[in-house]
Amino acid sequence: MTAEDTPVRRRRGSSMADVARVAGVSGQTVSRVANGRANVDAATRDRVLAAMREVGYRPNSAARALRNGQFRSIGVIVFELSSFGNTRTLDAIATAATTSGYAVNLLPVLDATQGAVSTAFTRLGEQAVDGVIILIEAHQLDEAEVMLPEGLPVVVVDSSAHYDYPIVDTDQAQGARLATEHLLDLGHATVWHLGGPPSSFAAARRLRSWQQTLTERGCPVPPVLVGDWSPRSGYETGLELAADPEVTAVFVANDHMALGLLRALHEKGRSIPGDLSVVGFDDTAESAHFWPPLTTVRQSFAEVGRRSVDALIREIQAGEHHHDPVAVPTELVVRNSTAPPRKK
């Protein structure tokens, strides 16, 4: 038999017994350290960890998960991965999960239907996750009458109280009220509103809060203008509003539409904020650099993501549902796109 014919022996993986021998401790102590137990003094833990590095021992996380019943992994089901809010929230979820020692399995769905969501849950179950965060517009879930399976901890982001699970979302109503009240407090007789698409639950809540705020203040409620979140829809609406000199204040449901609206008003010679004040929603990174810099409502996607992960981990560890909804507060950021109306 030549050297080429000699079978290569695979090196035996180091075991807990190897670690125990090098560290001079019992196998039970090595097991406690490998499983993250607290009942090991610091000096012994350091000696065991050093021995693990010396012999090349790596704890078997899969076997530990089977013993403990936890995989230290969460799934995220998301629709419309490209949307601004979803992208920012996903980034925050990933950061918070990693900080808490959990891996994230992301599963986009192409359609918010019962079949698509059920398939996503099945696939995540095969990947052995401890719980799931769902990031799908409430209207899409509600209209499809999607039923979420029992037996797995779930947190729903940006939804109604339709589901018997913890719900985490920005306080959309508070943000719209802050925007509308800011413009009224500046002295505007009323506030027009360019809303998002009817399919958006967030847009619907902002619209209702705008209407309610005007009504409570005894102000006329103008007809609702509808956009699709894009700068183009804001631009097209802006061309219409520019032709009406009675319009002095507009609350826009997101900053991207506000950008298009600002351009249209500039093109039509409407001074901002001299002739018309504009407030957006989101506080995107670019909004401070619009011309003029945009007054807008800041929603903390980072906080929504963090609170979602915190709520899910509580569900996982407690083994029971905690149904209290979480509303993350918003903040009005005042810049140069708003001012008192010009005196006639």
Side-chain angles (χ1 to χ4, degrees), residues 79-336:
F79 183 68
E80 292 184 352
L81 188 58
S82 62
S83 77
F84 173 76
N86 283 358
T87 302
R88 294 286 302 278
T89 304
L90 280 173
D91 180 67
I93 288 172
T95 299
T98 301
T99 302
S100 300
Y102 283 77
V104 174
N105 288 316
L106 176 63
L107 194 59
V109 294
L110 301 180
D111 299 294
T113 63
Q114 178 68 64
V117 174
S118 296
T119 299
F121 266 93
T122 299
R123 290 178 61 186
L124 286 175
E126 293 170 352
Q127 295 175 30
V129 299
D130 297 311
V132 177
I133 295 175
I134 298 181
L135 191 54
I136 301 178
E137 272 279 5
H139 280 305
Q140 294 164 335
L141 285 175
D142 292 343
E143 290 174 4
E145 296 183 347
V146 172
M147 300 302 295
L148 306 182
E150 295 291 336
L152 190 65
V154 171
V155 168
V156 182
V157 177
D158 185 22
S159 185
S160 64
H162 177 73
Y163 295 101
D164 191 25
Y165 293 102
I167 295 168
V168 179
D169 193 18
T170 297
D171 193 339
Q172 310 287 350
Q174 179 207 32
R177 184 173 65 254
L178 290 173
T180 308
E181 288 179 342
H182 170 67
L183 292 166
L184 295 177
D185 290 343
L186 286 172
H188 295 276
T190 191
V191 178
W192 289 65
H193 180 52
L194 171 54
S199 62
S200 168
F201 192 71
R205 279 178 290 181
R206 294 170 197 176
L207 186 153
R208 285 197 301 271
S209 181
W210 160 77
Q211 290 175 325
Q212 183 177 358
T213 303
L214 289 179
T215 301
E216 291 174 351
R217 296 281 290 261
C219 301
V221 181
V224 178
L225 307 167
V226 180
D228 61 8
W229 298 132
S230 71
R232 174 174 290 278
S233 67
Y235 176 78
E236 293 170 349
T237 301
L239 294 178
E240 298 177 19
L241 292 177
D244 186 350
E246 297 301 315
V247 178
T248 66
V250 183
F251 162 44
V252 186
N254 80 335
D255 289 352
H256 289 159
M257 292 193 296
L259 174 62
L261 184 135
L262 290 176
R263 178 190 166 188
L265 296 174
H266 281 305
E267 288 183 356
K268 293 300 182 179
R270 297 294 299 273
S271 166
I272 303 166
D275 295 327
L276 200 150
S277 290
V278 179
V279 177
F281 202 110
D282 283 339
D283 192 29
T284 62
E286 302 83 4
S287 62
H289 305 284
F290 291 178
W291 187 252
L294 183 67
T295 295
T296 185
V297 176
R298 176 180 295 160
Q299 55 174 331
S300 177
F301 296 107
E303 185 68 7
V304 170
R306 186 186 68 80
R307 299 283 287 272
S308 301
V309 172
D310 288 348
L312 185 63
I313 291 176
R314 285 198 303 272
E315 291 273 300
I316 293 169
Q317 294 177 345
E320 58 186 18
H321 290 323
H322 298 276
H323 303 144
D324 296 335
V326 176
V328 177
T330 57
E331 176 188 356
L332 181 70
V333 181
V334 179
R335 298 193 178 104
N336 302 107

